[in-house]
Structures are given as structure tokens and as C-alpha cells.
Amino acid sequence: MSRRQQSKRVALLDSARKGNTTMIINWPAFTPFTALLGGILIGGAASVLALSLGRIAGISGIIGMLLPSRHNSHPGNPNAWRWAFIMGLVLAGSLIPTIAPMVSPPVLTLSAFGQPIWVVITAGLLVGFGARLGGGCTSGHGVCGLARLSPRSGVAVGVFMTAAFLTHYCIQ
């Protein structure tokens, strides 16, 4: 990210913190190619997982089954593919800035959120609780469930999006 783009990003964040609710699109940072490429990769990965193993690429479910619990402690529970999937997510996210810096998004740090660490951790835990309560996360319901035309996923995504819009409206 150039110095000019970074200063515009900081100005946008400052404007948002001051209560400016006007929607501003940062056109120099708007990259439809990378968004399209990301969507293709996510859809492709979800398709490969579904076609090869018959599994849904719901991240909360994949991670949830790696954690010890009474539901997945039985012998013979194959977790190798789960570890491979999670490690692939981490490695891909780590390698993209090195391999293709021109399509790499800016690196987010905790300071980029403008919130204390306890707020970020609490928000993450609440998202995890909500995903468990809703029987899945946005990747499971939004990517895989909607692709399978699941009515349950349609309702879940509707609730996710409504909650996101309301949260954004209340915070702004």
C-alpha cells in the first residue's frame, strides 16, 4: 500500500471514529479483481472439500470438531483433513503478501481496529458463541448452504446480515 493510500485510509478511519456516517468508497483501494479471485478460490476450495470428502467448508464446525468435547471424542474421528484445511487457510494468508504483493490486502493489526485488545477478544468469543448457537458460521451457511439451496442456511444468512446491518447502524 502506498503512502498516499495509507494516509487516505487513516483519514477514513478518523472520519468514521468522529461519527461521520456518510458512506465513502476508497476507490484507489477498490479492487474487484482480487475480490473475484478470492471468491473463486473460496468457492473452489468449498467445492473440492464437498466433492472429495463430502464435507461442508464451515470454519466454525471444522475448528469446533478439533476441540475436545463429548461430541467428538469417540475413537476413529479423522481430524487430518481438518488440520490440513486450517493450516491451508493460515499458510495461504501468510504467503499471499510474499507471492503476490500486488493483490495482497493491507495487513490488519490490532491497532487497525482502533479498539483495546479485550474488546477484540470479546468480540471474537461472541462471534464464536453465535456461530455455535446458530449451528454454523457465515462460511458454512453463506457459501456452502446457500449453494445447496438450504432453507435453513437462507434463514441463517438473513439473520447474520440483519444483525450486521443493525450492529453497524447502532455503532455508527
Side-chain angles (χ1 to χ4, degrees):
M1 177 181 282
S2 73
R3 191 122 171 111
R4 182 174 174 221
Q5 287 176 327
Q6 197 162 11
S7 65
K8 282 185 176 183
R9 184 169 185 264
V10 169
L12 288 172
L13 288 172
D14 286 341
S15 176
R17 283 190 201 109
K18 291 177 185 172
N20 183 359
T21 58
T22 304
M23 183 176 158
I24 300 170
I25 297 175
N26 186 357
W27 289 109
F30 178 65
T31 55
F33 171 72
T34 56
L36 178 63
L37 180 62
I40 290 169
L41 289 172
I42 290 169
S47 297
V48 167
L49 189 61
L51 294 172
S52 64
L53 296 177
R55 303 290 184 164
I56 299 297
I59 306 305
S60 64
I62 292 171
I63 291 176
M65 291 302 286
L66 289 173
L67 301 175
S69 76
R70 59 186 170 91
H71 298 293
N72 60 359
S73 60
H74 62 280
N77 186 8
N79 283 330
W81 72 268
R82 289 183 177 94
W83 285 112
F85 194 86
I86 297 300
M87 291 309 298
L89 291 174
V90 172
L91 288 174
S94 302
L95 293 176
I96 288 295
T98 305
I99 296 171
M102 73 292 275
V103 298
S104 176
V107 176
L108 289 177
T109 61
L110 286 178
S111 63
F113 292 109
Q115 299 294 330
I117 184 78
W118 70 268
V119 171
V120 175
I121 291 172
T122 302
L125 291 172
L126 286 172
V127 167
F129 174 75
R132 187 52 113 189
L133 183 67
C137 59
T138 53
S139 57
H141 284 300
V143 176
C144 301
L146 290 181
R148 295 182 306 120
L149 302 176
S150 165
R152 179 174 168 238
S153 291
V155 170
V157 170
V159 171
F160 294 158
M161 295 304 294
T162 301
F165 291 139
L166 289 174
T167 301
H168 176 76
Y169 177 77
C170 291
I171 289 175
Q172 296 298 321

